[in-house]
Amino acid sequence: MADSGVTDEPGTKDDVHRAKTEGKELSKEEKQRLRKEKKQQKKNKEKKDEKASHESEKKKNKEEKPVSAAAPASQPPTQPSTQKAVPAPAPVPVPVSETPALADKPAKTKADLKAERRARQEAERASKQAATSKPKAPPNELQPVVKRLPEHVQVDNPGVLKKLAKKLERQQTPGCNAATNAKIPLRLDYGYKVSLFSHLHQYSRKAPLTQQLSIPSTVIHPAIVRLGLQYSQGIVAGSNARSVALLHAFKQVIRDYTTPPNEELSRDLVNKLKPYISFLSQCRPLSASMGNAIKYIKKEISNIPSQCKEEEAKRKLLSCIDCYIDEKIILAAKAIAKSSIEKISNGDVILVYGCSSLVNHILCEAFEKNIKFRVIVVDSRPRLEGREALRRLVQRGISCTYVLISAVSYILPEVSKVFLGAHALLANGYVMSRVGTSQIALVAKAFNVPVLVCCETYKFCERVQTDSFVSNELDDPDDLIVTRKGKTQLEHWQDVPSLGLLNLVYDVTPPDFVDLVITDLGMIPCTSVPVVLRVKNVDQ
Amino acid sequence: MELQAVLMAAGGGSRMTDLTYNTPKPMLPVGNKPLMWYPLNLLERVGFEEVIVITTKEVQKMMATDPKMKIDVKMKLDVVCIQEDGDMGTADALRHIQQKIKTDVLVVSCDLITDVALHEVVDLFRAHNATLAMLMSNAHEFTETVPGQKGKKKTAEQRDFVGVDQSGKRLLFMANEADLEDGLSIRKSIMRKHPRMHIKTGLVDAHLYCLKKAVVDFLADNKSISSIRGELVPYLVRKQFSKTTNSPKIKDDAENQNQKTNDSSTNHELLISSRDEPLLQLAQERSCWNDHRGDMSEAYHGGKLRCYVHIIDQGLCCRVNTLAAYIEANRLAPKLFEEPAVHPSAVISERCQMGSDSIIGALCQVADKTSIKRSTLGNSTTVKEKVKVTNSIIMHGVTIEEGCNIQGSVICSNAVIGRGADLKYCLVGNGQRIEPEVIVTT
């Protein structure tokens, strides 16, 4: 999972720093001022004869430098996406404020002044960054240096694969016999991968990871093995279901956990969970909601005070997990349903895509409130999840129509609203959801039909993505093979060297196609996702 | 701990009494290894570290002295002895060790020789949270002539009817021909939930079962069930579709009339539940997966009791419970392992013609001008000159004098075959002595 909170960090860090270390900031600014004055004096000695009048103005500039230094700090919150560009606009207000001082100067020298000032400011900022980058690097890992890509999107790099294999080997569960050399097995890729997606893993469902594990699994807790199997076979599918099942399995793990002697629960339990998480991500890449749940649990575990007894600590953790599920999933669903029902009116024709547990919940709740509407369920191969959504809605008594995605432009003139579920909401406002969602949103936009995305806040992710290539999931290519009238055309697809089967799972919808995002915090536009993330970060 | 292994090695071998009246079935040599070594090896290869072995005192004594068992088996064997004549069924034996069972159990029979990937059965058990997962194999006909039987007449084995669903994994129906009086009747509730069922008859039950711990506890309360295969498995398969599975009623009332007498004695409900049941329910509710389609019910039709079967088409899976199976096993079992056909301590003269698929045991002595083809020689056998052994199984300690011709036969331990004897398709018992110049044919 690419957890780099890219652009929010500088702004939040500066704000936080300023809030916490008010005194230090001022002293830093004073130091900066002194440094600048020293430099400026040197330059003044050089240019003393020619630009005597400029010196005084430059001094004024230097004094206003601290103001300008503060100005960029206040700008990032409103301009999060421009990191390096932040210094550039900053000089703009400074020269503007100086125009009264320079009014008596000819225009030609004003332009020169501006250029010189800008160049000097750039140089100073560069030197400042060089001087302070070392202490700042640990808290702020988003310096403009090469970012480390997560290994699950570098599958075509053999060096990265070797590192992954070594990491899995090293991740033995602590306390196990050194002689048994237990390690997490590495799952091998299957079949020919389409070149555009060769940096992603592609596994076969017929080669489960349990083949390489011992049967009474001692390395990995049985609940986690069961969960991994259910993930890889698709028995537990859907963002919410996967998170709930993950937390359920973690509850079993915590119940069966005993602290080894001379170890602290807060540190040892986190280490114990690491190989389990690697195992699960080998079975199926982790979803954004699972990632957030894992972060939460790890934080809770590390926050357990060391003098807490084991029984009490375990009880506390179990209740934390229950609390998380209640708040973030169950209550959030209720809140979202309540907001969404305001948007559904009598006589509506609602289009849904695939099987989203949240959207189904909303529609069932709306039906309970006796709103008269009908639903069109759009489905797509190979998963055909729409059939399950259709079953659930019809069972409640809602009148439904079922089409395949190829008919969506035919059916859209009848539709009044589109409700979509989301797998994750990215920090730049893009919606990551089941493959086909962006197509539906696009066609709906073309027909001027409002598109509403329903998503709980715990699925909000700090990742930024603008296309569906860079980070996605490749499912088993054999799922695309279908037998009709006794004939299976693609049965021997592996023998044809130029043929590749691509079974994508997710795609990314730009915020221009989404009209409203309904979350448990309220109804927000797509572009406000970074604000929610920032608020969440400050809360925590 | 996830699974505990239990090996049932107390069976009497009632269908092969000619071989077992002296040697207990678990210790019969197959490819020069005792029969019970094969399932133990399977468990060891897969990763088990401890096995509970239920057997008789006699077998325990033999196990302690057998070199193969002592050296090769690295797992910890917890041997539980039961009375030999106690007429204990497999389920009774499981009830006997109920105190030792702390988690789900994997029950294996001692006469199973297979190279199946065990994770396939256990994965079904894990992924679907099943109550029972078992292994079956598509049987093939035995082509060899069985000694001691006239012609190729097959014994009238009772057929087993096994019904599976579309995917071939879920077990819907299981009955033996003996239990069905005049016809095969299938309940409507099964047909409503699974309208397409495949009924197979040619399957061999490998007697490998994964059972939930709740089943063992249920057995402890219901003492009327004595055999796993004969009674427990059909009961569980039937119970999947029983209307009262989920309700707290004690007695099953909407049952088939034929089974009423059986069911009335099984008073206690099989309680399948787990901790954090509401969380599991929530996960299943939110998951967009269903195991069937076409009707309005949720995954698994809301049933908590599920039975699964893994049917293998290829690979070796045979149960050595008849003479024919024993001969077949002797031929196929050595191919499972890459061990040298000739034991290093055997003394074989240079002018002996040995086929590539023959096995010679330890400390054998084979003289000149002998021909041994497609046969197994046990430990410490002596074969003198000019002997022709084809297609036969010779057990331990046998002496074969000169000029014998043995074809398609089974010679048990410590027998002596006199000189010039000609045996075709015979079964010579333990310690017997065949007079010289005897011609025995079927």
Side-chain angles (χ1 to χ4, degrees):
Chain A
M1 276 260 304
D3 267 347
S4 50
V6 175
T7 52
D8 276 332
E9 296 295 274
T12 54
K13 287 294 172 197
D14 280 346
D15 287 345
V16 170
H17 270 286
R18 229 185 317 126
K20 287 185 183 170
T21 62
E22 196 67 48
K24 286 185 198 166
E25 273 295 315
L26 287 173
S27 62
K28 261 194 202 164
E29 286 183 7
E30 284 175 13
K31 284 184 196 165
Q32 286 171 7
R33 216 183 303 148
L34 283 169
R35 231 182 285 143
K36 278 167 204 158
E37 282 175 355
K38 275 189 204 164
K39 277 191 193 162
Q40 209 244 314
Q41 278 165 14
K42 276 190 207 167
K43 283 179 187 159
N44 287 346
K45 282 173 196 166
E46 292 171 354
K47 298 170 189 172
K48 226 178 188 176
D49 45 350
E50 273 194 14
K51 294 172 184 174
S53 54
H54 290 271
E55 285 174 14
S56 52
E57 277 139 34
K58 280 169 201 166
K59 278 190 186 149
K60 276 196 204 159
N61 296 347
K62 294 306 169 265
E63 277 163 8
E64 291 180 348
K65 273 281 163 60
V67 177
S68 65
S74 60
Q75 294 213 351
T78 51
Q79 293 177 8
S81 52
T82 52
Q83 201 184 13
K84 274 206 156 166
V86 161
V92 174
V94 176
V96 169
S97 62
E98 304 223 349
T99 41
L102 296 166
D104 54 326
K105 283 289 157 190
K108 202 172 88 176
T109 49
K110 223 202 287 183
D112 284 344
L113 265 177
K114 279 192 200 167
E116 270 178 37
R117 231 182 283 130
R118 222 169 277 145
R120 225 180 294 124
Q121 279 174 0
E122 288 294 315
E124 272 158 18
R125 245 173 224 114
S127 62
K128 202 204 321 174
Q129 272 194 349
T132 61
S133 63
K134 277 168 206 166
K136 260 199 177 168
N140 188 359
E141 41 185 17
L142 307 158
Q143 293 297 319
V145 290
V146 173
K147 285 196 258 286
R148 260 187 298 133
L149 285 170
E151 64 226 350
H152 72 267
V153 293
Q154 285 193 80
V155 176
D156 50 355
N157 184 348
V160 172
L161 282 181
K162 261 192 243 165
K163 262 198 231 167
L164 173 66
K166 263 199 208 158
K167 175 182 129 188
L168 288 175
E169 265 189 41
R170 271 187 282 121
Q171 266 180 357
Q172 299 183 20
T173 47
C176 73
N177 220 348
T180 56
N181 195 22
K183 56 179 177 168
I184 318 289
L186 179 69
R187 197 169 182 192
L188 295 171
D189 282 352
Y190 164 76
Y192 170 71
K193 282 191 271 191
V194 173
S195 58
L196 267 175
F197 293 94
S198 58
H199 62 285
L200 299 170
H201 284 292
Q202 180 171 281
Y203 299 127
S204 167
R205 203 157 291 145
K206 294 203 201 74
L209 205 48
T210 48
Q211 253 175 345
Q212 303 164 45
L213 284 180
S214 66
I215 292 255
S217 74
T218 41
V219 178
I220 301 176
H221 193 275
I224 303 277
V225 175
R226 169 171 302 158
L227 187 65
L229 264 177
Q230 287 179 332
Y231 282 164
S232 63
Q233 292 183 7
I235 295 175
V236 175
S239 199
N240 281 335
R242 283 165 78 185
S243 309
V244 172
L246 175 74
L247 291 170
H248 168 81
F250 276 175
K251 273 178 96 170
Q252 319 255 63
V253 170
I254 290 174
R255 267 201 205 102
D256 293 338
Y257 171 77
T258 47
T259 323
N262 305 329
E263 294 275 357
E264 269 196 33
L265 183 133
S266 55
R267 257 173 281 150
D268 188 57
L269 187 53
V270 178
N271 286 341
K272 258 242 161 71
L273 289 180
K274 280 201 192 128
Y276 298 162
I277 295 169
S278 315
F279 173 77
L280 289 176
S281 63
Q282 294 263 298
C283 289
R284 193 175 163 193
L286 297 180
S287 67
S289 54
M290 284 167 72
N292 287 342
I294 289 173
K295 259 195 257 177
Y296 173 78
I297 289 197
K298 281 192 176 168
K299 192 173 75 89
E300 287 297 315
I301 295 177
S302 343
N303 283 347
I304 290 193
S306 48
Q307 62 267 26
C308 199
K309 273 196 286 217
E310 189 178 314
E311 281 309 312
E312 201 189 309
K314 282 205 234 182
R315 228 177 323 123
K316 196 158 153 263
L317 284 174
L318 294 175
S319 72
C320 275
I321 291 180
D322 281 330
C323 201
Y324 185 82
I325 294 178
D326 269 335
E327 270 178 27
K328 307 279 181 178
I329 300 178
I330 301 179
L331 286 178
K334 282 202 190 127
I336 293 176
K338 208 158 142 229
S339 327
S340 315
I341 285 172
E342 296 164 25
K343 293 290 178 189
I344 303 178
S345 37
N346 277 325
D348 259 349
V349 179
I350 298 179
L351 185 124
V352 299
Y353 177 65
C355 184
S356 164
S357 55
L358 188 54
V359 173
N360 291 344
H361 178 82
I362 291 171
L363 293 175
C364 294
E365 289 288 308
F367 191 71
E368 301 285 313
K369 296 256 178 355
N370 291 326
I371 306 179
K372 306 268 177 296
F373 61 94
R374 69 182 179 92
V375 177
I376 300 180
V377 179
V378 179
D379 201 7
S380 72
R381 276 196 70 227
R383 289 186 173 225
L384 291 170
E385 288 170 338
R387 294 184 181 182
E388 186 55 25
L390 184 68
R391 177 188 76 78
R392 287 175 202 205
L393 295 174
V394 172
Q395 200 180 29
R396 290 300 192 104
I398 304 175
S399 58
C400 298
T401 311
Y402 176 88
V403 292
L404 287 180
I405 195 167
S406 37
V408 77
S409 57
Y410 167 76
I411 203 108
L412 254 169
E414 295 180 16
V415 174
S416 61
K417 290 188 183 70
V418 176
F419 270 80
L420 298 173
H423 172 258
L425 237 61
L426 305 173
N428 55 350
Y430 279 65
V431 177
M432 184 178 206
S433 186
R434 183 69 77 222
V435 65
T437 314
S438 63
Q439 194 180 344
I440 304 250
L442 173 66
V443 181
K445 184 83 182 174
F447 278 87
N448 275 326
V449 173
V451 173
L452 294 90
V453 170
C454 309
C455 183
E456 298 98 333
T457 47
Y458 87 108
K459 288 185 193 160
F460 283 22
C461 178
E462 284 159 350
R463 212 161 68 198
V464 172
Q465 217 177 306
T466 53
D467 58 64
S468 317
F469 295 91
V470 96
S471 176
N472 208 324
E473 188 188 327
L474 292 179
D475 210 356
D476 190 352
D478 290 337
D479 283 350
L480 293 175
I481 302 176
V482 70
T483 306
R484 291 205 176 101
K485 293 185 189 166
K487 279 197 269 196
T488 314
Q489 305 288 12
L490 284 173
E491 200 169 359
H492 305 287
W493 68 275
Q494 306 227 40
D495 301 336
V496 182
S498 52
L499 180 63
L501 295 189
L502 180 65
N503 190 354
L504 275 182
V505 182
Y506 298 117
D507 74 2
V508 175
T509 308
D512 330 331
F513 298 152
V514 177
D515 295 305
L516 193 64
V517 176
I518 307 179
T519 68
D520 40 328
L521 290 177
M523 300 197 248
I524 58 175
C526 230
T527 44
S528 304
V529 170
V531 179
V532 173
L533 277 170
R534 179 170 58 96
V535 168
K536 248 197 335 171
N537 278 342
V538 169
D539 279 344
Q540 286 172 358
Chain B
M1 243 225 301
E2 194 184 357
L3 274 181
Q4 269 177 290
V6 175
L7 182 71
M8 299 282 186
S14 49
R15 277 182 273 190
M16 40 203 281
T17 44
D18 303 323
L19 294 172
T20 56
Y21 73 89
N22 209 337
T23 328
K25 188 171 87 161
M27 297 307 286
L28 276 179
V30 173
N32 287 338
K33 302 188 186 82
L35 182 56
M36 68 192 291
W37 182 86
Y38 288 90
L40 284 175
N41 182 264
L42 173 71
L43 292 173
E44 190 173 343
R45 260 186 292 135
V46 156
F48 277 95
E49 285 170 358
E50 290 186 0
V51 182
I52 302 176
V53 180
I54 302 182
T55 182
T56 57
K57 285 212 171 45
E58 197 186 333
V59 174
Q60 189 185 22
K61 263 187 268 173
M62 290 182 75
M63 264 169 65
T65 53
D66 190 297
K68 197 85 191 162
M69 297 289 286
K70 270 201 300 196
I71 297 171
D72 269 0
V73 177
K74 300 213 177 34
M75 303 184 287
K76 184 165 110 52
L77 297 179
D78 181 8
V79 183
V80 173
C81 290
I82 58 172
Q83 299 284 60
E84 204 170 294
D85 51 351
D87 203 16
M88 257 187 144
T90 40
D92 296 326
L94 212 51
R95 198 178 300 127
H96 184 76
I97 56 165
Q98 195 227 349
Q99 298 302 322
K100 292 188 191 249
I101 307 281
K102 307 270 181 284
T103 163
D104 302 336
V105 354
L106 173 69
V107 177
V108 191
S109 168
C110 66
D111 52 9
L112 175 68
I113 300 182
T114 179
D115 62 348
V116 74
L118 209 53
H119 75 89
E120 310 240 4
V121 180
V122 183
D123 279 352
L124 279 177
F125 184 68
R126 288 167 177 153
H128 298 276
N129 211 3
T131 313
L132 163 74
M134 54 191 285
L135 177 67
M136 285 192 147
S137 144
N138 261 322
H140 43 264
E141 301 291 319
F142 295 134
T143 48
E144 305 290 330
T145 322
V146 177
Q149 279 179 359
K150 290 189 169 39
K152 288 205 177 180
K153 183 187 72 177
K154 274 182 282 202
T155 50
E157 293 270 337
Q158 294 285 340
R159 283 183 298 177
D160 268 327
F161 293 95
V162 178
V164 292
D165 75 339
Q166 282 273 67
S167 65
K169 298 273 173 203
R170 180 94 189 259
L171 195 50
L172 302 175
F173 181 79
M174 174 167 295
N176 190 284
E177 197 172 345
D179 294 333
L180 303 168
E181 271 131 48
D182 45 358
L184 193 87
S185 52
I186 300 182
R187 294 226 298 271
K188 259 199 220 163
S189 57
I190 306 181
M191 293 310 294
R192 243 180 270 130
K193 293 180 183 169
H194 298 269
R196 286 190 172 215
M197 195 191 321
H198 297 263
I199 300 195
K200 305 182 189 232
T201 49
L203 296 179
V204 168
D205 186 347
H207 275 229
L208 191 146
Y209 308 105
C210 285
L211 294 167
K212 265 211 154 83
K213 181 165 181 310
V215 177
V216 181
D217 297 335
F218 167 77
L219 274 183
D221 292 332
N222 287 284
K223 304 216 191 298
S224 62
I225 298 183
S226 66
S227 155
I228 295 185
R229 175 65 179 87
E231 287 163 45
L232 182 62
V233 171
Y235 175 76
L236 288 176
V237 173
R238 263 199 327 270
K239 206 81 165 72
Q240 285 179 101
F241 304 103
S242 154
K243 279 185 212 142
T244 52
T245 307
N246 296 329
S247 68
K249 270 197 271 181
I250 293 184
K251 256 213 159 104
D252 300 332
D253 40 14
E255 286 284 328
N256 203 349
Q257 287 296 324
N258 290 346
Q259 272 99 32
K260 196 140 195 203
T261 42
N262 283 345
D263 290 345
S264 54
S265 50
T266 57
N267 286 330
H268 302 260
E269 275 294 313
L270 191 52
L271 293 164
I272 312 279
S273 68
S274 47
R275 285 174 117 166
D276 287 323
E277 187 73 25
L279 263 191
L280 268 183
Q281 279 283 77
L282 180 67
Q284 204 178 315
E285 237 176 82
R286 297 299 173 106
S287 169
C288 51
W289 177 84
N290 207 324
D291 65 329
H292 64 278
R293 63 176 189 86
D295 66 355
M296 279 299 188
S297 30
E298 50 184 355
Y300 306 126
H301 299 277
K304 295 213 184 77
L305 212 170
R306 306 184 268 272
C307 300
Y308 284 86
V309 62
H310 176 66
I311 302 179
I312 54 177
D313 288 319
Q314 316 166 333
L316 172 64
C317 172
C318 74
R319 279 201 60 225
V320 180
N321 52 1
T322 58
L323 193 50
Y326 178 72
I327 296 174
E328 180 85 10
N330 257 298
R331 217 175 309 289
L332 295 174
K335 299 205 176 85
L336 283 183
F337 306 102
E338 278 145 27
E339 280 179 3
V342 180
H343 198 275
S345 65
V347 174
I348 310 223
S349 77
E350 280 160 12
R351 285 198 281 165
C352 158
Q353 279 181 338
M354 213 185 73
S356 56
D357 40 6
S358 299
I359 311 262
I360 314 276
L363 301 171
C364 281
Q365 282 178 336
V366 181
D368 293 338
K369 298 202 194 128
T370 51
S371 151
I372 303 182
K373 297 216 164 64
R374 295 185 76 200
S375 303
T376 312
L377 256 63
N379 299 335
S380 313
T381 21
T382 313
V383 179
K384 300 259 167 68
E385 285 93 3
K386 297 206 196 110
V387 168
K388 222 171 110 176
V389 180
T390 328
N391 255 343
S392 303
I393 300 169
I394 319 268
M395 293 201 203
H396 309 302
V398 172
T399 311
I400 305 181
E401 305 286 343
E402 290 113 17
C404 288
N405 183 357
I406 303 178
Q407 201 179 338
S409 307
V410 177
I411 319 275
C412 292
S413 309
N414 302 319
V416 175
I417 313 289
R419 137 201 337 214
D422 185 1
L423 302 170
K424 282 197 177 63
Y425 304 113
C426 303
L427 176 62
V428 178
N430 230 302
Q432 293 291 327
R433 214 197 129 75
I434 305 284
E435 300 299 322
E437 305 296 336
V438 161
I439 301 178
V440 186
T441 51
T442 44

